[in-house]
Amino acid sequence: MDTGCFSAAQRLSCHAMNPDLLKPCPEHGPPQPAAPRMKPNRNKTEQIKPELAPVVTDPKTGRSYSKGKLLGKGGFARCYEMTDLTSNKMYAVKVIPQSRVSKPHQRDKITNEIELHKTLSHKHVVKFSHHFEDQENIYIFLELCSRKSLAHIWKARHTLTEPEVRYYLRQIISGLKYLHNRGILHRDLKLGNFFINENMELRLGDFGLAAKLETVEMRKKTICGTPNYLAPEVLNRQGHGTESDVWSLGCVMYTLMCGNPPFETLDLKETYKCIKEVRYNLPSNLSPAAQKLISSVLQKAPANRLNLDQILGHEFFTKGFTPDKLPASSCVMVPELHPPSPAKKFFTKMAKSFFGKKKAKAEKIPCDDKDEKDLSRLVSGIVKCSISRQISYKTVGSNEVASPAGQLVSSLPLEPTPAEEESRKSVSRSFKGTMASSAEPCEDGSTPAAVAESAAKVLDTCLSAMPAATRNPPCLSRPEPFLWVTKWVDYSNKYGFGYQLSNHSIGVLFNEGTHFSLCDQRNTIHYCLTNNKHFTFQTSALPEQLHSQKQIVELMANYMEQNLMEGGDLHCEDQASSSPPPLLLQWVKTDHALVMLFNNGTLQVNFYTDHTKVILCKAADGSYLLTFISRERVSCTYLLSMLSEMGCSAELRHRLRYVVQLLQHHADA
């Protein structure tokens, strides 16, 4: 299962070295016995934390922020989702009560964290935005990582496959090298501090214990961090160096692959003893390369450990397959990962050269003829390799149950039982026979090929006439409302492709080619048996043969509602429940984008890397509207004729060229 955007969630460091907090997070295994309290509890009144106001305002700038859900909490601070009421941009905000920084050394700790974090800028480090304080709290605004952390993935999965571990470790090492090159030690590397964004990219965060690298003589001797990941030299008060972070990295690798930290015991003192003696077990099910790498990192003497470059050069990485991207489904289940064929590797390399590190520079200037030719060759290769992710006409099992976390958990085998197969045939017979008289035909020419051809033609015509420009024309102040996909979930490995429209109706295109929609607050059902037969039911009058499909649709709907964020700020008016929603004719996934074609002529393309979206639809008067949703989820709608006359920015022009190439090669595929 792959998904669009998870709802925002992050977590704070558990600061497990605090004697009052020696009950580690889920990633640390069984709870450790709490140490005796160092200080008696203060009165209960002082311990009660005041509830954060629904809206907080920066006293200096006057900008207001709406409080969202609680993302995580620790003994020192809480983290909330907050939305800037001016720009609608969302943040993860660390909220520290002023009462917790009343002493100078406490205030210095927060100040040092802020000053250090605001200097960092790296792809695999959580972005620092800004901070302010009022009389009650200090607010630190950070990048919102919507897929929680590796701790959450580990809790759901318990163990990860070696390709997944390589995928995450490469990103951790990239961020860690950046810190070390700047003379910064993290000192609290653990699963809960590796955050995952919407695009399944890892961000290293929580710099509450970070410190500048000192000489051996000046190294800090403080014991800080999380018990299961502490290096021997830290416990022996020999100080922190980059080698201590490498040790923690080895513990992270072991935990992800083996299901528990290497030195975990039920007794904290015993855990410390095992760490000092480097006493742990390597499971026999680990590959020889993985065992060798872990052993080379978990060395007692810091000087004997591999450094970060040597880790990347180890055979565990050089001889093993590392995926370029993980599906979002890997947050809750084992993904289907296959090493690419030589042809696939070639096209991936081309794609990286075109869309990779130089992308930002390429988007600042219009594409020339050479770009067009390179893009044409690139798209041709990608489409021929990847366009097969379309409707597949096979029948699969249809019963699922939802876990408390909202993910779909299979309760039946992939292949249908004879009874299920007979039930499906019965559904087909009944609707083709007795229900045919109530069917409503689709719009003329609404085949995937026709929609793709029409969209490619109007976009190509627009681009051909478009003059050079450096910016987009003014947005339409009140564009005609239209429906678009705000959330999606790819569960085609078993059932089909689900999506939510901007009027909150839910659709699922099943692998066998049928289409099921829940509309009007789930009170009305639109069912399409073939591409030219529609049926409408009230939920209470749904034929029994469709109950199993309805259950799957509801599970996908609940999953998207609980876990996924809206794809942009573009809303629409609710359509009448009596009219069928737009029918998804086809969806196609390439390495860079998701393409969706609807029977009303709407085309939507979601780009993975920066989460931008291009939506082309018809207005009531027959003209075309083009909507661009930026990476900040801010939308602008234009008349296509206006873009043709006035031109647009290089960023939008570049995406439109890519869409045209995709559609043209889609028609030829």
Side-chain angles (χ1 to χ4, degrees):
M1 181 177 68
D2 192 11
T3 63
C5 315
F6 271 86
S7 65
Q10 295 207 53
R11 54 196 313 266
L12 302 172
S13 169
C14 69
H15 299 294
M17 290 308 296
N18 184 331
D20 291 336
L21 299 172
L22 277 178
K23 295 181 180 179
C25 299
E27 72 191 73
H28 305 139
Q32 309 291 349
R37 295 184 182 276
M38 301 300 293
K39 295 181 181 180
N41 280 335
R42 299 181 179 180
N43 61 70
K44 293 184 179 180
T45 303
E46 186 174 292
Q47 291 184 31
I48 297 175
K49 296 179 179 178
E51 183 65 25
L52 188 64
V55 175
V56 296
T57 302
D58 184 342
K60 292 184 178 180
T61 66
R63 294 181 79 94
S64 295
Y65 303 86
S66 173
K67 183 190 74 172
K69 65 182 68 175
L70 177 68
L71 303 178
K73 57 183 178 179
F76 196 71
R78 293 192 174 199
C79 190
Y80 291 91
E81 177 185 291
M82 286 194 186
T83 304
D84 186 330
L85 294 178
T86 302
S87 66
N88 287 328
K89 185 172 183 179
M90 300 173 70
Y91 299 90
V93 184
K94 193 171 181 179
V95 181
I96 304 127
Q98 293 285 8
S99 60
R100 301 307 302 264
V101 293
S102 57
K103 297 180 180 179
H105 74 276
Q106 295 171 332
R107 168 71 64 167
D108 290 343
K109 179 182 181 299
I110 296 300
T111 301
N112 290 338
E113 177 183 352
I114 292 173
E115 292 304 314
L116 184 149
H117 198 168
K118 71 195 304 185
T119 66
L120 304 179
S121 178
H122 187 268
K123 179 180 180 181
H124 296 300
V125 172
V126 170
K127 292 180 177 62
F128 180 97
S129 178
H130 61 286
H131 76 286
F132 66 84
E133 58 183 288
D134 55 26
Q135 292 184 345
E136 289 78 30
N137 302 296
I138 298 172
Y139 306 90
I140 303 176
F141 286 71
L142 305 170
E143 172 187 8
L144 186 62
C145 294
S146 59
R147 299 195 191 276
K148 306 186 181 183
S149 70
L150 270 187
H152 293 83
I153 296 174
W154 177 86
K155 186 177 180 181
R157 295 276 307 280
H158 197 57
T159 58
L160 272 61
T161 63
E162 288 196 7
E164 291 175 280
V165 172
R166 280 189 286 268
Y167 172 84
Y168 288 121
L169 285 183
R170 283 186 182 276
Q171 297 179 63
I172 294 172
I173 291 173
S174 176
L176 202 53
K177 284 179 65 175
Y178 170 78
L179 295 180
H180 289 177
N181 289 339
R182 294 174 65 89
I184 298 171
L185 303 176
H186 189 276
R187 303 204 302 172
D188 194 20
L189 295 178
K190 61 179 182 180
L191 301 184
N193 286 339
F194 302 130
F195 301 101
I196 310 299
N197 73 1
E198 180 182 342
N199 204 39
M200 293 301 291
E201 295 169 336
L202 183 142
R203 302 284 195 263
L204 180 55
D206 198 334
F207 295 92
L209 298 180
K212 284 287 187 178
L213 181 63
E214 308 285 358
T215 62
V216 175
E217 296 76 19
M218 297 178 63
R219 286 182 178 178
K220 292 177 173 60
K221 307 300 191 294
T222 307
I223 298 180
C224 66
T226 301
N228 282 318
Y229 300 106
L230 293 178
E233 65 270 20
V234 175
L235 288 177
N236 292 326
R237 296 185 181 275
Q238 295 170 317
H240 297 78
T242 57
E243 303 86 359
S244 302
D245 278 347
V246 170
W247 171 278
S248 299
L249 188 65
C251 294
V252 166
M253 177 182 176
Y254 184 102
T255 304
L256 291 175
M257 300 185 72
C258 303
N260 55 275
F263 305 102
E264 178 184 77
T265 69
L266 294 178
D267 180 73
L268 188 60
K269 291 183 179 179
E270 181 64 22
T271 294
Y272 287 166
K273 185 177 180 181
C274 290
I275 292 173
K276 291 178 180 180
E277 296 174 1
V278 194
R279 178 158 39 92
Y280 66 98
N281 296 316
L282 276 171
S284 58
N285 63 320
L286 291 184
S287 69
Q291 294 187 39
K292 290 178 184 177
L293 179 55
I294 292 172
S295 299
S296 299
V297 172
L298 298 182
Q299 291 286 316
K300 183 174 183 179
N304 293 339
R305 293 172 205 155
L306 299 183
N307 60 37
L308 296 177
D309 286 324
Q310 290 171 330
I311 291 174
L312 289 176
H314 192 273
E315 63 176 313
F316 175 76
F317 285 97
T318 59
K319 296 184 179 180
F321 164 59
T322 303
D324 291 328
K325 181 179 173 62
L326 288 179
S329 60
S330 64
C331 292
V332 294
M333 64 176 65
V334 179
E336 294 183 12
L337 300 174
H338 304 288
S341 64
K344 178 69 173 178
K345 289 182 178 178
F346 172 75
F347 289 119
T348 300
K349 184 176 181 181
M350 287 183 66
K352 284 184 176 179
S353 67
F354 193 83
F355 291 96
K357 296 180 179 179
K358 296 182 179 179
K359 185 190 73 167
K361 182 176 180 181
E363 290 179 350
K364 292 180 180 177
I365 57 174
C367 300
D368 56 22
D369 292 340
K370 182 178 182 299
D371 290 331
E372 292 266 5
K373 295 176 182 177
D374 291 343
L375 182 59
S376 177
R377 289 194 295 269
L378 170 65
V379 174
S380 176
I382 293 176
V383 170
K384 289 179 181 177
C385 287
S386 307
I387 206 164
S388 60
R389 297 299 300 273
Q390 300 173 8
I391 304 171
S392 58
Y393 292 89
K394 62 179 180 180
T395 308
V396 294
S398 57
N399 284 350
E400 293 217 347
V401 295
S403 73
Q407 66 264 30
L408 300 176
V409 182
S410 175
S411 61
L412 285 178
L414 282 174
E415 296 300 323
T417 64
E420 290 173 329
E421 177 65 13
E422 180 58 31
S423 174
R424 185 191 68 80
K425 292 178 180 178
S426 175
V427 171
S428 178
R429 284 195 298 268
S430 65
F431 281 106
K432 286 183 178 179
T434 60
M435 294 288 195
S437 59
S438 65
E440 299 173 10
C442 285
E443 296 179 18
D444 292 338
S446 58
T447 64
V451 174
E453 182 180 358
S454 176
K457 183 177 180 180
V458 296
L459 288 177
D460 188 44
T461 301
C462 174
L463 285 167
S464 299
M466 187 183 293
T470 58
R471 63 180 64 183
N472 295 323
C475 303
L476 295 177
S477 57
R478 288 191 175 182
E480 182 177 319
F482 59 89
L483 295 179
W484 62 287
V485 175
T486 59
K487 302 177 182 180
W488 57 270
V489 54
D490 175 9
Y491 205 40
S492 58
N493 62 331
K494 195 168 182 183
Y495 297 113
F497 183 90
Y499 58 93
Q500 175 184 291
L501 292 174
S502 48
N503 67 346
H504 300 290
S505 64
I506 304 295
V508 174
L509 178 57
F510 285 93
N511 289 339
E512 61 188 24
T514 60
H515 192 287
F516 196 111
S517 297
L518 281 175
C519 306
D520 188 28
Q521 298 182 340
R522 305 191 186 184
N523 292 319
T524 304
I525 291 170
H526 296 282
Y527 185 73
C528 186
L529 183 63
T530 65
N531 281 347
N532 62 355
K533 298 289 183 181
H534 281 274
F535 307 90
T536 300
F537 308 95
Q538 292 302 305
T539 303
S540 58
L542 185 69
E544 184 178 354
Q545 300 99 317
L546 293 180
H547 284 183
S548 60
Q549 280 186 297
K550 176 175 175 285
Q551 183 184 19
I552 296 174
V553 176
E554 288 179 331
L555 286 169
M556 290 194 187
N558 293 337
Y559 178 81
M560 288 187 283
E561 179 181 352
Q562 296 172 17
N563 295 283
L564 308 189
M565 292 190 300
E566 299 287 344
D569 65 346
L570 182 66
H571 302 291
C572 78
E573 300 173 358
D574 290 343
Q575 66 174 23
S577 60
S578 59
S579 60
L583 177 69
L584 178 65
L585 297 176
Q586 193 174 71
W587 59 275
V588 180
K589 290 172 76 174
T590 73
D591 288 342
H592 301 286
L594 166 68
V595 182
M596 291 169 283
L597 303 170
F598 289 85
N599 69 323
N600 64 351
T602 295
L603 159 76
Q604 181 169 332
V605 181
N606 291 13
F607 292 89
Y608 308 138
T609 305
D610 56 10
H611 318 301
T612 56
K613 301 168 185 67
V614 172
I615 306 165
L616 179 70
C617 65
K618 283 184 180 180
D621 60 2
S623 62
Y624 281 89
L625 299 177
L626 189 129
T627 299
F628 179 60
I629 301 179
S630 70
R631 63 198 75 197
E632 291 81 19
R633 293 186 172 84
V634 177
S635 63
C636 259
T637 300
Y638 312 94
L639 282 171
L640 196 64
S641 58
M642 184 180 296
L643 289 177
S644 179
E645 294 174 7
M646 302 179 64
C648 64
S649 66
E651 179 184 27
L652 179 55
R653 188 183 189 115
H654 185 68
R655 281 160 180 74
L656 294 182
R657 288 179 186 271
Y658 178 74
V659 171
V660 169
Q661 295 287 350
L662 269 181
L663 296 173
Q664 290 174 343
H665 287 280
H666 169 277
D668 297 336

